[in-house]
Amino acid sequence: MVALVPLILTVQIGIGTAWARRLGYDAKSSELWFLWLCGSAWLSLIGVVLAVAGLINPWVGGAILVLGAGYAAVSGAVTDAAQRMLRWARLADVSADKSVFAAIRLGIVLALVFIGMRAAAGELNDTDVVQFYWGWLNEVRHLGGVKLSPDFPLIQDFTAGRGNGTYLLAAGVAPGLVSHVVSAAYCIMFAMLLRAFILQIAADVPEPFRRLSILVAEVASLTTLWMLPGAVAFGKYHLQFAAWALGFLLVCLHISSRDDNSARRERLLVLPLAFAIPIGLAQFEAFIALLVVVAVAVAPHPWLSARRLLPILLAGCVGAGISLFGNWLFLGIPDLNPFPLFERFINGSRFDLWTSRLQQHYINYVNGGVLTLNSDDGVSTLRELRTLINELRNNWLPISLGFAGVVAAVMIASVPIGWRSLRHGLFLLLGAILGYGLYRGASYITLSDLALSPTANRAALYGVAAVIYLLAIRALGRPASRSYLLGLLGYWLVCTVFILAFHSGSMERLMRHVDAIGVSLVLLAMVCVMGRLARPGLFLPSASVNASAGVPVLLAIGIAFSLRAAVPTAAVDPPRHLLASTLGLQGRAHGLTHPMAKFGRCHEIARSVPSDARVLYLNAYTAMAYCNNAVLLPRAMIVTPHESDFARELATTSFADADTVERSLRRLNINYFLFLKQDFEFWASGLAAPFRPGELERRFDLLADTPSFYVLTWRGGGKPIPAEAVTAISDLRRFNIQQSGFMWQNEFIGQWRILANLGADRPKYQFGTRLDFSSKGWSALYADHGWYAADPIGTWSVGPFAVLTLPLAKPEAGPMRLTMDLMPFQIPHLPTRTVRVKANGVDVATWNFKLGEDYHERSIDLPPGIGLDPRGVVLTFDISDSVSQYALGLNRDWRPVGFSVRSLVLEPIATN
């Protein structure tokens, strides 16, 4: 594993060199990053072709790597790269401040060693990597390609992973965790490309600040290499996308500034990259198209740039079309996301073979974080402005320190030359403070988290940051450097646009590398400001800033930032464990795995059920990831709900009544079920009707009670479930239903809330039953929209609307009486509140609350006929003045609560 990282880098550079020579391009005179970038694209495309042909195996993969490394050695590409690295290490390209550059580059070398050890150890800390990527790449290795087996269709991973050929190729020569090695290679590539980007800027910066800009390139590379391993999970495709996207923009800017002949050759060189990016995932082409727009917009000659870059864009569109069409042929759908856009083109017979519409809906909208729950968020511009202003007020200290740092830099720069040592010491201290603050800002500041409109607040903050950057770089008027300065800002803005547009945790993780870009923008802006301060007579007529003033600041920023970034990374991957694992002194799992990676659980499962059994886990969605595709169990023993033939029955087994769910599970030969003790992370089938209290003990027996699991089977296959086991399982399900979830704007979203909104079967309400809204009750079974997690007393409404749906055990034609025990949220800022109540769309009551009211009962008589609705009784509460205390500037409670409910009773009204 240790040798695979330099081997992959060598092969990529060798293939890039071969491609350059094939086009008659002088490889020795070209930039190393250019050859590396093009070679990585070709290697990925080769891997995709081999995977489609079913040729992924150790012999073919090994032969490709050996031949690529051999050509790199024979062609002189390895020698050239080694000479460049030696010059870099010996500081041959530095004429001044060599001790500073030596310290920075030593930090880069240490970061590279750490990344190499992490790749070699292949730690198991990221559950997504283990749950999805590890299993997918093991299946690719097992099947020899990307043609999935119908009994084990890793559909979610196929759509994202079938076009990332370097990962597929490596999977043929090493176990699934080889993906860490590939990610390490792309992490290094991203840092090198960012350095090259800034060096392009430095080449046109006037002296004496050119060497400061060169130092910024080194510091940016240093901070990136220490930051990304702790921010972006190794083993995913995110770092490949980051390196390719940044490199693509760099190449586009390069082509825009070259003469016609050079631009033509470089355009041919980069065509494989333009083609490979959307082959990896077709949706990436939308991102690439925006990067082309950025490159054209910032180019010195936009129309000329547009003509040069159009063929590259067209090549990417062809790649995206092939990617979409390939998925349509194989899966029956062009691509997984956006699913509704392509629904009319679905090939039903193929599509139903692999998955179900509900499965796609769940993946796209729920996991994507953009589920729409049909509720108005009620966000007003004025309220959000108050929220943003209040957040800035709460963060006045770091904001003030930031401005104070600039003032301090100017003051220190004016210290007389005789106090140089003191001035340098002060600059080092200031740089250390700024470096620490820069890390905190890049990694922790999420001002929008407490706002009800994250998009508006983030957009405002990003806009302010962009304006400040533009003002800072205004002094650089040379077109060549400005195109790269603006291009880097454009890349950062494109990433933020995607984050804001998709509201997706997955998208934020994909764009997490933009934090490193942000750090580089700050450093560049600082150098530009220093350049402006250096003008005679500007701010400091007697002692203006000179180039040497920025050297200790940048040095201290780089060291402080890297040390701070290394702390969380080392906490996850302790260096001593990495070193021991790399040297073979301890096993991979020792000291490097997530606390949930308890592989002993896999042995418990193997000892409890027959070897040919199919086992469905009903909770522990994350914790079970380590047994899903483990070599400790038979390949398809664990039925992964979204990555097996079971996915086609997801709707039935999650939404239907108990009898229908049981028939479906028996038809799929799923006869064993796992409940992980002390884990409330129920998902899909675990929340279905057969596993509710009453149904659970009637339909299932206990097969085994292990230290970790309750192993259940169908009634008659074991012994009756003990009462304490039933209670333990029910309490965990209750916690998941009543309390587990998160807020998204004005909506509290949990696994059960999602299933209920998509049509899951609910228990029928029996007239006269007291529905408990506290954490000990089951009220969330009937909550649709606008309800927060239950607390020990009751449940608060959140947002301007709240909806309850009560399916009735038997229809009722006559009038009914609804009685609720509730309390309004009232404060002096909101002394009154009005709630309008509707039943099945009919206005039935208007409640007016005043300051000081405690819990009390209110009753509503519902008119005849409502109880005949097939949906049951649907209660809608329209709540006035839905605003959070945070938005009012009172405290940090950002929930727009309306009223709290302790209980509800619905009963028919007796008529004579």
Side-chain angles (χ1 to χ4, degrees):
M1 283 289 192
V2 178
L4 275 179
V5 177
L7 176 61
I8 289 175
L9 300 183
T10 301
V11 172
Q12 289 174 335
I13 294 173
I15 294 176
T17 302
W19 176 238
R21 291 185 174 181
R22 179 68 180 82
L23 297 176
Y25 195 79
D26 186 3
K28 289 188 176 181
S29 64
S30 63
E31 297 284 353
L32 180 62
W33 60 264
F34 206 159
L35 301 177
W36 187 4
L37 192 63
C38 298
S40 69
W42 268 118
L43 184 63
S44 181
L45 291 174
I46 291 170
V48 171
V49 171
L50 293 175
V52 171
L55 296 176
I56 295 295
N57 60 65
W59 292 104
V60 175
I64 294 292
L65 295 178
V66 169
L67 289 174
Y71 179 83
V74 172
S75 65
V78 172
T79 304
D80 180 56
Q83 289 175 348
R84 298 190 194 199
M85 291 180 61
L86 185 61
R87 280 175 49 81
W88 178 84
R90 296 176 62 183
L91 307 177
D93 57 336
V94 178
S95 59
D97 299 313
K98 288 195 172 186
S99 60
V100 173
F101 278 90
I104 297 296
R105 291 181 179 181
L106 178 60
I108 292 174
V109 171
L110 291 176
L112 292 175
V113 171
F114 181 82
I115 290 172
M117 290 193 301
R118 184 176 184 181
E123 91 294 337
L124 307 176
N125 284 302
D126 189 277
T127 55
D128 278 357
V129 172
V130 175
Q131 186 172 9
F132 301 125
Y133 299 80
W134 184 14
W136 157 245
L137 292 174
N138 280 334
E139 188 68 2
V140 168
R141 179 182 176 88
H142 175 81
L143 299 174
V146 293
K147 294 182 180 179
L148 298 176
S149 170
D151 66 320
F152 200 49
L154 301 173
I155 179 66
Q156 183 173 355
D157 308 306
F158 176 89
T159 54
R162 53 46 179 129
N164 296 286
T166 309
Y167 291 85
L168 300 174
L169 186 68
V173 299
L177 286 177
V178 71
S179 59
H180 290 76
V181 173
V182 183
S183 292
Y186 281 113
C187 181
I188 299 169
M189 179 187 290
F190 179 83
M192 182 176 181
L193 288 168
L194 182 57
R195 176 179 179 272
F197 214 121
I198 300 175
L199 287 177
Q200 291 291 331
I201 298 170
D204 198 45
V205 172
E207 291 291 358
F209 288 92
R210 179 175 298 171
R211 64 187 168 96
L212 267 189
S213 301
I214 296 174
L215 184 57
V216 166
E218 301 291 335
V219 172
S221 180
L222 173 70
T223 56
T224 297
L225 289 171
W226 280 109
M227 182 181 188
L228 287 187
V232 181
F234 275 35
K236 296 184 178 181
Y237 315 124
H238 297 171
L239 286 167
Q240 172 187 284
F241 168 77
W244 279 0
L246 183 64
F248 181 85
L249 178 60
L250 180 57
V251 170
C252 288
L253 294 174
H254 212 253
I255 291 173
S256 299
S257 61
R258 306 283 278 180
D259 61 78
D260 289 340
N261 291 332
S262 299
R264 189 177 300 111
R265 286 196 300 267
E266 291 183 359
R267 185 171 59 201
L268 290 174
L269 273 173
V270 82
L271 281 179
L273 177 65
F275 192 75
I277 293 174
I279 288 291
L281 190 65
Q283 285 74 21
F284 289 164
E285 186 59 22
F287 188 91
I288 293 304
L290 288 179
L291 293 185
V292 172
V293 172
V294 169
V296 170
V298 303
H301 306 288
W303 288 111
L304 177 62
S305 175
R307 289 196 299 271
R308 290 178 173 179
L309 298 180
L310 181 59
I312 300 176
L313 181 61
L314 292 177
C317 292
V318 171
I322 293 175
S323 177
L324 293 171
F325 186 65
N327 257 15
W328 184 81
L329 288 176
F330 185 71
L331 301 176
I333 178 173
D335 216 327
L336 190 151
N337 185 15
F339 172 71
L341 179 62
F342 300 114
E343 189 166 12
R344 69 180 66 183
F345 303 113
I346 287 176
N347 181 331
S349 58
R350 299 290 295 167
F351 179 76
D352 294 337
L353 173 66
W354 299 107
T355 184
S356 66
R357 280 172 169 76
L358 173 67
Q359 171 69 6
Q360 301 301 312
H361 183 91
Y362 190 90
I363 291 171
N364 293 337
Y365 291 92
V366 179
N367 287 355
V370 293
L371 181 64
T372 300
L373 295 177
N374 303 320
S375 62
D376 184 6
D377 61 11
V379 176
S380 68
T381 303
L382 179 60
R383 186 179 69 185
E384 282 310 305
L385 181 61
R386 288 201 303 262
T387 303
L388 181 58
I389 292 174
N390 189 55
E391 181 62 32
L392 294 175
R393 184 181 65 185
N394 288 337
N395 288 273
W396 69 269
L397 182 58
I399 294 172
S400 301
L401 288 176
F403 284 105
V406 177
V407 176
V410 175
M411 293 177 63
I412 297 172
S414 65
V415 174
I417 197 69
W419 296 77
R420 179 174 298 176
S421 59
L422 174 61
R423 185 170 64 174
H424 282 191
L426 292 174
F427 267 125
L428 287 172
L429 177 61
L430 176 63
I433 295 173
L434 292 177
Y436 176 81
L438 190 57
Y439 174 79
R440 295 282 299 185
S443 303
Y444 290 105
I445 289 181
T446 52
L447 297 177
S448 62
D449 285 354
L450 298 177
L452 295 175
S453 180
T455 302
N457 286 359
R458 281 193 178 188
L461 294 171
Y462 292 156
V464 170
V467 170
I468 293 174
Y469 176 79
L470 290 172
L471 292 175
I473 66 171
R474 199 156 51 97
L476 287 177
R478 299 187 180 183
S481 60
R482 284 187 65 82
S483 63
Y484 288 96
L485 279 166
L486 296 176
L488 200 59
L489 174 65
Y491 185 92
W492 182 77
L493 289 175
V494 169
C495 290
T496 60
V497 165
F498 270 75
I499 293 172
L500 295 175
F502 287 93
H503 304 292
S504 166
S506 298
M507 182 60 70
E508 292 215 21
R509 288 190 292 273
L510 179 65
M511 299 296 173
R512 191 65 190 271
H513 66 277
V514 78
D515 292 341
I517 304 294
V519 171
S520 301
L521 292 175
V522 171
L523 296 177
L524 284 170
M526 187 179 70
V527 170
C528 291
V529 169
M530 290 179 124
R532 296 187 68 189
L533 293 176
R535 295 178 181 177
L538 184 63
F539 297 115
L540 299 173
S542 60
S544 60
V545 178
N546 53 60
S548 63
V551 173
V553 174
L554 288 173
L555 173 64
I557 286 177
I559 294 175
F561 188 102
S562 301
L563 288 176
R564 184 60 186 87
V567 171
T569 306
V572 174
D573 300 313
R576 61 188 181 90
H577 289 303
L578 284 175
L579 181 60
S581 296
T582 303
L583 298 177
L585 302 178
Q586 68 179 28
R588 171 184 291 166
H590 179 71
L592 289 174
T593 56
H594 195 282
M596 285 188 293
K598 298 177 180 178
F599 293 101
R601 293 171 177 167
C602 306
H603 291 296
E604 292 181 36
I605 297 171
R607 291 193 297 265
S608 301
V609 301
S611 59
D612 60 347
R614 304 194 70 196
V615 184
L616 177 65
Y617 60 90
L618 301 170
N619 64 340
Y621 174 73
T622 302
M624 281 300 297
Y626 297 93
C627 290
N628 285 353
N629 303 293
V631 296
L632 304 174
L633 295 171
R635 171 172 162 260
M637 172 177 279
I638 301 296
V639 179
T640 309
H642 53 285
E643 296 190 325
S644 66
D645 57 342
F646 178 75
R648 296 189 284 272
E649 300 289 335
L650 183 64
T652 302
T653 57
S654 300
F655 293 171
D657 60 84
D659 292 335
T660 304
V661 173
E662 180 175 343
R663 287 194 298 269
S664 298
L665 292 172
R666 287 182 181 271
R667 184 175 68 254
L668 291 168
N669 197 31
I670 299 175
N671 299 316
Y672 301 93
F673 308 89
L674 296 174
F675 280 101
L676 180 64
K677 297 176 180 178
Q678 306 301 317
D679 190 294
F680 61 84
E681 197 176 16
F682 286 79
W683 189 81
S685 296
L687 298 170
F691 303 100
R692 293 171 183 158
E695 296 285 355
L696 180 68
E697 54 268 40
R698 185 170 71 85
R699 296 176 184 271
F700 298 94
D701 278 348
L702 181 68
L703 179 68
D705 184 355
T706 74
S708 301
F709 299 102
Y710 294 116
V711 184
L712 306 184
T713 188
W714 296 113
R715 192 63 181 268
K719 60 182 180 180
I721 305 176
E724 59 272 17
V726 173
T727 301
I729 293 172
S730 297
D731 287 345
L732 291 172
R733 290 182 80 253
R734 178 188 286 112
F735 183 88
N736 178 279
I737 291 171
Q738 289 286 97
Q739 297 178 266
S740 178
F742 59 93
M743 283 294 297
W744 180 259
Q745 295 192 15
N746 285 339
E747 196 69 58
F748 183 77
I749 298 176
Q751 292 292 347
W752 166 253
R753 311 284 179 109
I754 293 168
L755 294 177
N757 276 277
L758 294 176
D761 180 73
R762 307 173 194 253
K764 300 298 185 289
Y765 177 79
Q766 301 285 344
F767 283 121
T769 303
R770 181 181 181 272
L771 186 59
D772 188 355
F773 279 70
S774 73
S775 55
K776 296 181 180 180
W778 293 96
S779 62
L781 289 170
Y782 307 97
D784 273 3
H785 311 297
W787 299 98
Y788 193 63
D791 58 42
I793 299 176
T795 301
W796 285 98
S797 69
V798 287
F801 296 99
V803 181
L804 288 172
T805 300
L806 302 172
L808 302 179
K810 61 179 181 178
E812 174 59 46
M816 296 173 289
R817 177 164 294 149
L818 173 72
T819 303
M820 298 180 69
D821 185 7
L822 49 79
M823 177 183 70
F825 173 72
Q826 306 288 164
I827 55 177
H829 293 71
L830 296 171
T832 63
R833 187 181 294 278
T834 300
V835 177
R836 293 177 175 83
V837 187
K838 294 182 179 180
N840 297 63
V842 178
D843 290 322
V844 293
T846 298
W847 292 338
N848 294 304
F849 298 102
K850 297 181 180 179
L851 186 65
E853 292 188 69
D854 203 344
Y855 280 103
H856 62 283
E857 288 190 353
R858 295 209 177 192
S859 297
I860 303 173
D861 289 345
L862 307 183
I866 287 180
L868 297 177
D869 192 316
R871 299 174 299 169
V873 177
V874 181
L875 300 170
T876 303
F877 303 90
D878 185 350
I879 307 160
S880 67
D881 298 322
S882 174
V883 62
S884 69
Q885 297 180 73
Y886 180 79
L888 294 172
L890 301 177
N891 54 46
R892 301 188 71 82
D893 187 350
W894 39 263
R895 300 172 303 162
V897 295
F899 60 93
S900 174
V901 181
R902 283 200 300 201
S903 65
L904 175 151
V905 178
L906 180 66
E907 53 192 351
I909 299 176
T911 57
N912 296 328

